[in-house]
Amino acid sequence: PDSTSPGQQHGHLLAGASHPLREMSSAIERLVEKTKKDPLVPVGCCATVACLVAGLYSFSKGNSNLSQKMMRARIVAQGATVAVFITGAFAISSMRKEEEERPKHMSPIEYELLKQAQLEVEARKNAAKP
């Protein structure tokens, strides 16, 4: 008989990076992170889906006027979501340009100290020139 517990016997299943629970948790973490960066995109997606569902429901009940209005509202919500997404993408890309100057292995504080030291060296060189 094996002396390992059932949890230890199947522990290798959870250790792999390709386990579905790990992949789902990392996807949820990425979604939460992106939602924090650009919170209006999920709001727009929910509004788009709500208009779509309401439009389809009203169409199934035979209320074509309300169905048409909801489909138009869906297009507006979808357009607003795309506009917010594009605006957020441009904002993030402009912030990344500043970060790309700094080497990845260097902390922001170290980078600022390095820039200050370089400026001081240049100032000394300029002061020493006749």
Side-chain angles (χ1 to χ4, degrees):
D2 194 6
S3 65
T4 59
S5 68
Q8 290 173 337
Q9 290 174 351
H10 300 294
H12 67 283
L13 294 175
L14 294 175
S18 63
H19 191 271
L21 290 178
R22 283 191 190 264
E23 289 177 7
M24 191 166 80
S25 69
S26 65
I28 291 172
E29 289 171 2
R30 285 185 301 213
L31 179 66
V32 168
E33 181 182 327
K34 289 184 181 198
T35 301
K36 286 179 183 177
K37 288 182 181 177
D38 204 359
L40 293 178
V41 171
V43 171
C45 290
C46 290
T48 301
V49 170
C51 290
L52 176 66
V53 170
L56 291 173
Y57 179 77
S58 62
F59 181 75
S60 71
K61 294 298 179 184
N63 191 349
S64 62
N65 285 336
L66 181 60
S67 176
Q68 285 294 317
K69 287 179 184 177
M70 294 310 295
M71 289 301 132
R72 289 182 187 128
R74 177 191 60 86
I75 300 235
V76 169
Q78 198 169 355
T81 303
V82 169
V84 167
F85 180 76
I86 290 171
T87 303
F90 279 125
I92 289 172
S93 70
S94 67
M95 289 188 317
R96 282 193 181 166
K97 287 178 184 173
E98 295 171 0
E99 292 176 3
E100 287 174 359
E101 294 177 11
R102 176 178 51 89
K104 292 195 182 264
H105 69 278
M106 191 178 291
S107 74
I109 294 172
E110 290 174 325
Y111 183 66
E112 288 300 318
L113 290 173
L114 178 66
K115 284 193 337 186
Q116 287 176 357
Q118 289 172 343
L119 289 174
E120 289 174 6
V121 169
E122 283 184 35
R124 288 184 194 142
K125 285 181 182 178
N126 290 337
K129 288 183 181 179

